[in-house]
Amino acid sequence: MILIADSGSTKTAWRQITKDGVLAETKTAGINPYYQSSEEIAQMLEQSLLEQWPDITPKEVYFYGAGCSAPDKKAMVEAALQQAFPASKIEIHHDLEAAARALCGEEPGIACILGTGSNSCLYNGHQIVHNLPNLGFILGDEGSGGYMGKRLVQTFLNNELPADLHQAFQQRYHLTRDEVVDNVYRKPYPNRYMATFAKFLFDHRQHPFIYQMIYQSFSDFFEKTIVKYPDYQQYNVHFVGSIAFHFSDILRKVAQQYAVRVQHILENPMAGLSLYHQQKIA
């Protein structure tokens, strides 16, 4: 039996799998070495995961997490997991590797994340061979929930929404400029705050103004990322994340504009990761 984890800053999904399928799954709090020490991660594992599965003895543990790209951050998570599973082989991978393996398997392709934030990579079927810099919420994250939410709130505060949308937005959120400034400039995770407004976009996606806003956000992602990969039109392009999944119809239309072949669109990578590792076991 092996154990797979897909972790963000908010939650971690865990699955026990064998070559025959999934044995068990659960969720715990998120793990991010930029915000937690190795000791804090180990304590969380002891108090949550090992309380649910006290007798678990995986042969191997594959952890995919946000913040796990730098070697020192990987080492922090590895130390905590090794404490929880002293007899297990531990491997730590970045969440972009989770996307690539879940979406592409062992085939070359371009794997993209479109959730609260955005990211992408060129994958050769075995490893990531090219990754354009992710400039984050302030300077980038095109096509993400944070990016779309920011554009929506900007348009609302600048009185640029059509009257019907402006009224609907105000009635729903009762938003003020001071509240927005406080959440963006004084509180942590402004991208998460802005991404919460993606629900409004989804509910009003048939409105021409909102449709065009979503369409343009995806176009910005293609312009800043997809078209910059060498020979990008020769690859299948795949997406994972809540924004890609819930706005997949619009995403596919934007892809057609760029003559891009979209194959898989998943809400989260866990199913694809499970299949990838099951095939490795077999």
Side-chain angles (χ1 to χ4, degrees):
M1 181 271 290
I2 69 172
L3 181 63
I4 304 171
D6 171 45
S7 183
S9 297
T10 304
K11 64 179 181 297
T12 304
W14 302 85
R15 271 192 180 181
Q16 300 178 39
I17 69 168
T18 68
K19 65 180 180 181
D20 297 320
V22 179
L23 292 179
E25 56 188 338
T26 190
K27 291 182 180 179
T28 66
I31 293 172
N32 191 318
Y34 279 94
Y35 305 114
Q36 298 161 290
S37 67
S38 189
E39 292 75 19
E40 289 171 334
I41 296 170
Q43 184 179 27
M44 187 278 289
L45 292 171
E46 180 71 32
Q47 295 175 348
S48 55
L49 184 64
L50 296 182
E51 280 194 359
Q52 298 181 61
W53 294 337
D55 300 319
I56 182 175
T57 54
K59 180 180 179 182
E60 299 165 356
V61 178
Y62 295 91
F63 182 93
Y64 298 87
C68 292
S69 55
D72 61 326
K73 302 304 180 186
K74 285 186 175 183
M76 289 172 59
V77 178
E78 182 177 358
L81 285 166
Q82 201 71 74
Q83 183 175 331
F85 307 107
S88 303
K89 174 191 172 184
I90 309 291
E91 285 193 18
I92 310 298
H93 300 275
H94 190 249
D95 58 355
L96 195 54
E97 283 189 82
R101 289 180 171 182
L103 293 166
C104 302
E106 295 187 343
E107 297 293 328
I110 296 174
C112 307
I113 298 173
L114 288 179
T116 299
S118 65
N119 208 340
S120 66
C121 68
L122 178 60
Y123 183 72
N124 68 1
H126 304 286
Q127 62 186 3
I128 294 171
V129 293
H130 191 13
N131 171 226
L132 295 168
N134 177 15
L135 300 180
F137 174 67
I138 300 297
L139 298 177
D141 267 355
E142 292 85 3
S144 69
Y147 184 81
M148 291 184 185
K150 179 170 64 175
R151 294 190 64 191
L152 175 63
V153 171
Q154 284 175 331
T155 306
F156 169 76
L157 292 177
N158 288 327
N159 292 313
E160 294 170 346
L161 282 176
D164 56 336
L165 289 173
H166 187 97
Q167 182 179 5
F169 189 88
Q170 181 60 35
Q171 288 178 346
R172 183 163 175 172
Y173 296 107
H174 305 286
L175 203 62
T176 66
R177 177 188 177 279
D178 289 342
E179 179 185 344
V180 173
V181 168
D182 188 51
N183 277 280
V184 172
Y185 294 101
R186 298 189 180 94
K187 293 182 179 180
Y189 305 115
N191 57 333
R192 290 186 194 172
Y193 170 72
M194 285 299 180
T196 62
F197 298 104
K199 183 66 168 62
F200 183 88
L201 294 171
F202 180 80
D203 292 342
H204 295 271
R205 65 193 183 282
Q206 300 302 327
H207 193 291
F209 188 90
I210 295 297
Y211 184 95
Q212 183 57 36
M213 180 177 289
I214 298 166
Y215 192 99
Q216 186 59 53
S217 294
F218 286 147
S219 294
D220 293 344
F221 177 77
F222 274 74
E223 288 290 338
K224 296 295 184 181
T225 57
I226 301 296
V227 302
K228 294 184 178 180
Y229 287 110
D231 303 318
Y232 69 94
Q233 290 176 328
Q234 296 182 14
Y235 295 97
N236 287 324
V237 180
H238 316 268
F239 296 86
V240 65
S242 57
I243 295 299
F245 184 79
H246 291 292
F247 297 107
S248 62
D249 55 334
I250 304 175
L251 180 60
R252 289 184 183 277
K253 288 185 178 180
V254 175
Q256 289 176 359
Q257 176 188 333
Y258 291 89
V260 165
R261 301 192 307 269
V262 174
Q263 192 172 26
H264 302 307
I265 300 179
L266 306 177
E267 188 170 10
N268 65 71
M270 187 52 89
L273 276 179
S274 297
L275 181 60
Y276 176 87
H277 284 286
Q278 279 177 247
Q279 292 172 340
K280 294 293 184 183
I281 296 171

